[in-house]
Amino acid sequence: MFLVRLVYASTISEGFGEADIEDILSKAKHHNSQNCVTGVLCFNRKFFLQCLEGSRSKVNFTYHKILNDHRHHKVVLLDYKEIAQREFAEWSMGYMPESSLTTPINTKYSGTPEFDPYAMSGESSHQLMLTLRDSVPIL
Ligand SMILES: Cc1cc2nc3c(=O)[nH]c(=O)nc-3n(C[C@H](O)[C@H](O)[C@H](O)COP(=O)(O)O)c2cc1C
């Protein structure tokens, strides 16, 4: 089946902590490997920006689970496209926390140096993740 890419932004819910991010990443890596879904999760302790790529059915299935997860809210779909190839094929779910390396890159794709995925177009958020992939080690 052909490939799609989905990008969304969301905001952490009240009470979100370190254990939550660890649980999210371990579940994401486990399920995504089984479903042949790949991607990256950017996080600045307030907002998420996530890219999911894989077959349409598996990406949609994963996104529906994510939408129903109470650890975040204000989920906004930024981009959904059929694609010819994956861009994060090496990562069942790469993790990109904000750091001194990622901050300067935000200004290139949004109006402020703050990481605010709601302030980016779908295309800018996608380009931001590609620039991060090429310039910062993904965990
Ligand atoms: C920001 C965020 C990103 C997530 N990303 C993924 C993901 O890429 N793949 C996935 O299977 N679950 C992801 N989850 C977790 C799912 O929402 C859900 O909790 C999990 O898949 C349930 O796993 P379980 O049925 O084994 O308990 C994410 C959750 C959040 C809040």
Side-chain angles (χ1 to χ4, degrees):
M1 196 199 266
F2 59 82
L3 292 167
V4 302
R5 176 180 67 239
L6 184 155
V7 179
Y8 75 85
S10 67
T11 303
I12 58 165
S13 297
E14 219 174 296
F16 189 91
E18 199 56 43
D20 291 310
I21 191 71
E22 280 166 23
D23 181 74
I24 287 169
L25 285 169
S26 106
K27 294 237 167 82
K29 286 177 185 180
H30 175 71
H31 291 302
N32 294 354
S33 307
Q34 289 190 327
N35 292 329
C36 210
V37 168
T38 52
V40 67
L41 179 67
C42 303
F43 181 52
N44 75 336
R45 317 205 77 76
K46 183 171 179 195
F47 300 130
F48 291 109
L49 173 67
Q50 188 174 27
C51 169
L52 298 165
E53 42 186 36
S55 74
R56 183 171 64 192
S57 61
K58 296 296 188 193
V59 167
N60 290 359
F61 169 76
T62 303
Y63 185 56
H64 279 116
K65 276 203 302 184
I66 292 172
L67 277 175
N68 289 321
D69 195 315
H70 296 297
R71 291 173 288 191
H72 66 164
H73 62 295
K74 293 187 188 156
V75 182
V76 174
L77 184 64
L78 299 179
D79 196 26
Y80 187 90
K81 266 200 181 75
E82 292 172 10
I83 51 170
Q85 61 189 44
R86 294 170 194 259
E87 291 163 332
F88 295 94
E90 290 168 46
W91 296 277
S92 58
M93 189 41 60
Y95 181 46
M96 178 67 68
E98 189 172 56
S99 71
S100 57
L101 295 174
T102 63
T103 307
I105 298 169
N106 296 328
T107 320
K108 189 170 173 187
Y109 297 103
S110 67
T112 78
E114 311 296 317
F115 173 72
D116 179 357
Y118 297 101
M120 276 180 263
S121 67
E123 185 53 21
S124 290
S125 60
H126 172 227
Q127 292 295 328
L128 169 75
M129 288 186 279
L130 291 184
T131 303
L132 290 171
R133 178 198 66 184
D134 294 340
S135 49
V136 181
I138 295 185
L139 306 175

